[in-house]
Amino acid sequence: MKRAARLILIVAGTAASLWLAPAPASAAVDEAKARAFIQNIADRAVNAIQANITKQERSERLRQILRDGFDITTFGNFALGRYRRQASPEQIKEYLAAFESYVVYTYSDRLGKFADGNVRVTGTRQAGTSSSDIFVLSQVQGNGKEPVPVEWRVREEHGKLRIIDVGIEGTSQILAYRDEFAAVIHRRGNGIDGLIAELREKNAQLQARLTSGN
Amino acid sequence: MQGRELMTERHGCKMNVETHSAVFRRFALIVVLGALLTGCAAAGGSDPQANDPWEGSNRAVFAVNEALDENIGQPVARAYGDAVPPFVRDRIRDFVTNFGEPVNFINAVLQGNQERAAETFVRFIVNSTAGMGGFFDVAAQYGQPENEEDFGQTLAVWGVEPGPYVMLPIFGPSSVRGTVGKIVDNFSNPISYFMPTFGNITKSVAGGIDKRQRNLETLDDLKKNSLDYYAALRSLYRQNRRDQINNGQVKGPVLDIPVYAN
């Protein structure tokens, strides 16, 4: 009787600890899978740029590729930094929508310079013990320029791979967003609303530029 | 007795004159500082987390730099890119790089980095001879690219903190540490003492134009696509500088990016 009670306690305790404990760090992302993922996203982007379609169509295709490739939610949330805690769920939702458009417009503009460019995956690097993310190393070459080494930080979420950071010459894009947005929020002095307003203003500007002429 | 009194009086009078000019100087200083800091005050002060206490005056300097760049820097860099063929531009860049190798060498030594010091030494000898006086970076073709080291990086290796952000006139983003480093580097190159002043200036100007030409697209992109160009540049400068100090090696734990529910 006593023994049975103890057994039940142990089983229940183990079950509870398994349930309560944070999910164990999932195994590192598979290297080959991560490489193929980056190569695929890059090739799709290059194809979209080279395809003989209108600017509007190109923009739509790039938006879809960016959604498939980037974890824009992680980018956006991280970029809010310490101001995220002060924002309401509605504000965050509004902000994330504006942020997604911002990423799409800026990347569409940037990718436009890769008309005869290409991306060559060269290797991978594990993020280390504190993270199961993986860095995919690549050489990005645009319009007859010297290739630039670019590191894509890839995370596996619910079985899907997504880019959560882009590194060039020791700089992290996600960190640059956070620093810049903190400056905007601080300068405007009205919290995340000021940032949303500036993002929308910028989006209108960038959209006008992207769609002009075609 | 009388004499002493007179002296005191005279002294007092002189003191008065001095005090007067000191007050005037202080007043002028307040006016200048006030003018520099108004931008800062109007913006409600710099974000303490940005480590940029002089943000108001830094932004003012940045605005002047931008105006100079738009009116002189960019047109000259574009004309240089259009008029000078890539082959010649590469020769100029290689020469300027080779000229700076002694600074790379001195700082590699000061950082206790024997490997980089040796590599730089070999590069300088090879490029100065086989590379026809530095016009051809043959060492890079044999797989030994430049190891860029400066005194700011040396100070960092020695454990000196960067201090606040500084926007230097013309030279652009830096820190207190970086500014000190730049001044020291300016005097630490032995070759420059054997060159006439005109040669040194020409070399610096050519190097500057070449650098601006290579950064035209990057900075153009950043300016066009950022919400706050000044803050974006500040972040990228600092991150890139840290990478240079670590010689491109990844150090410390990876950036902690949490998992977000939505």
Side-chain angles (χ1 to χ4, degrees):
Chain A
M1 188 60 192
K2 240 183 173 177
R3 238 209 217 140
R6 217 159 80 192
L7 196 70
I8 289 169
L9 254 171
I10 289 169
V11 170
T14 314
S17 68
L18 276 177
W19 182 69
L20 286 171
S26 50
V29 180
D30 182 65
E31 280 179 34
K33 216 171 117 186
R35 289 177 70 136
F37 163 71
I38 292 296
Q39 194 65 64
N40 176 259
I41 291 291
D43 290 346
R44 277 175 64 194
V46 171
N47 282 339
I49 295 153
Q50 291 172 347
N52 191 18
I53 48 178
T54 65
K55 279 189 177 178
Q56 197 63 46
E57 285 170 319
R58 181 168 300 128
S59 183
E60 279 311 307
R61 268 174 75 173
L62 285 174
R63 184 183 283 263
Q64 194 51 52
I65 294 164
L66 286 167
R67 273 188 181 148
D68 295 342
F70 287 77
D71 181 354
I72 294 176
T73 308
T74 294
F75 263 90
N77 277 309
F78 184 88
L80 274 184
R82 63 191 199 272
Y83 293 103
R84 188 170 177 271
R85 273 168 286 149
Q86 304 165 11
S88 71
E90 292 76 41
Q91 280 177 314
I92 291 185
K93 210 177 146 195
E94 261 184 72
Y95 155 78
L96 284 176
F99 179 75
E100 188 193 65
S101 293
Y102 174 63
V103 171
V104 170
Y105 292 138
T106 50
Y107 268 83
S108 301
D109 177 64
R110 239 162 243 164
L111 290 167
K113 291 174 201 132
F114 289 90
D116 58 357
N118 70 82
V119 178
R120 196 166 50 85
V121 170
T122 53
T124 56
R125 180 165 66 79
Q126 296 294 339
T129 47
S130 60
S131 166
S132 57
D133 301 340
I134 195 168
F135 289 92
V136 175
L137 317 180
S138 72
Q139 294 282 338
V140 175
Q141 186 157 23
N143 296 3
K145 294 254 166 53
E146 295 261 302
V148 179
V150 178
E151 293 192 5
W152 311 86
R153 182 167 170 179
V154 175
R155 176 173 289 179
E156 188 160 4
E157 288 157 342
H158 314 295
K160 278 183 187 162
L161 296 181
R162 287 286 182 275
I163 297 160
I164 59 164
D165 197 8
V166 183
I168 302 169
E169 290 182 28
T171 64
S172 146
Q173 166 127 58
I174 202 169
L175 201 55
Y177 276 140
R178 194 182 73 185
D179 290 346
E180 188 187 357
F181 290 1
V184 171
I185 294 171
H186 185 82
R187 176 161 49 77
R188 297 279 295 226
N190 60 340
I192 184 174
D193 285 336
L195 176 62
I196 296 171
E198 287 213 14
L199 279 171
R200 285 182 178 157
E201 208 176 293
K202 194 76 192 178
N203 287 342
Q205 247 181 54
L206 293 170
Q207 189 190 21
R209 195 173 298 145
L210 275 177
T211 49
S212 67
N214 211 332
Chain B
M1 197 60 178
Q2 234 187 7
R4 205 197 278 168
E5 257 180 29
L6 204 82
M7 252 180 75
T8 321
E9 218 177 79
R10 236 197 254 149
H11 192 69
C13 184
K14 209 178 152 204
M15 278 270 288
N16 243 334
V17 172
E18 262 187 14
T19 313
H20 185 75
S21 82
V23 165
F24 177 76
R25 250 182 284 159
R26 198 177 299 165
F27 178 73
L29 192 70
I30 288 166
V31 170
V32 171
L33 277 178
L36 287 172
L37 293 173
T38 33
C40 180
S46 177
D47 185 350
Q49 296 220 9
N51 190 17
D52 187 3
W54 307 312
E55 186 170 341
S57 47
N58 277 342
R59 279 189 189 264
V61 172
F62 187 58
V64 174
N65 282 354
E66 276 296 285
L68 285 173
D69 182 54
E70 261 163 47
N71 291 297
I72 302 166
Q74 285 183 45
V76 170
R78 273 180 223 284
Y80 174 74
D82 291 341
V84 183
F87 178 81
V88 179
R89 292 207 302 266
D90 287 348
R91 299 294 71 75
I92 292 172
R93 188 197 308 177
D94 288 351
F95 179 79
V96 171
T97 302
N98 194 57
F99 191 97
E101 292 287 14
V103 173
N104 292 335
F105 174 77
I106 291 166
N107 283 294
V109 169
L110 290 175
Q111 290 170 30
N113 194 331
Q114 294 177 354
E115 197 187 327
R116 286 204 151 205
E119 285 168 2
T120 301
F121 185 78
V122 171
R123 267 180 60 80
F124 184 65
I125 298 300
V126 168
N127 285 341
S128 299
T129 52
M132 321 245 257
F135 282 104
F136 290 85
D137 192 345
V138 279
Q141 281 160 21
Y142 283 100
Q144 184 53 67
E146 186 196 6
N147 293 323
E148 284 186 71
E149 302 292 353
D150 54 60
F151 195 64
Q153 293 185 48
T154 298
L155 289 173
V157 170
W158 289 352
V160 177
E161 292 293 319
Y165 188 62
V166 178
M167 181 58 71
L168 295 172
I170 300 168
F171 295 102
S174 193
S175 60
V176 172
R177 183 181 67 196
T179 305
V180 172
K182 264 197 169 63
I183 295 167
V184 171
D185 288 332
N186 198 39
F187 293 103
S188 69
N189 192 340
I191 316 179
S192 63
Y193 292 98
F194 295 101
M195 284 257 287
T197 312
F198 178 73
N200 275 315
I201 293 171
T202 309
K203 180 231 99 194
S204 299
V205 170
I209 294 169
D210 175 65
K211 200 172 170 190
R212 187 69 193 92
Q213 199 273 330
R214 278 180 287 146
N215 288 323
L216 276 172
E217 272 192 23
T218 314
L219 290 179
D220 210 35
D221 178 301
L222 189 67
K223 190 176 181 177
K224 198 165 62 176
N225 289 317
S226 55
L227 302 178
D228 187 332
Y229 184 31
Y230 173 86
L233 197 62
R234 184 174 62 194
S235 174
L236 292 173
Y237 162 75
R238 279 182 173 151
Q239 292 191 51
N240 180 246
R241 192 68 184 147
R242 212 171 300 136
D243 184 58
Q244 284 179 350
I245 290 161
N246 294 333
N247 294 335
Q249 303 292 309
V250 182
K251 285 194 181 157
V254 72
L255 178 67
D256 180 28
I257 305 176
V259 175
Y260 297 94
N262 63 321

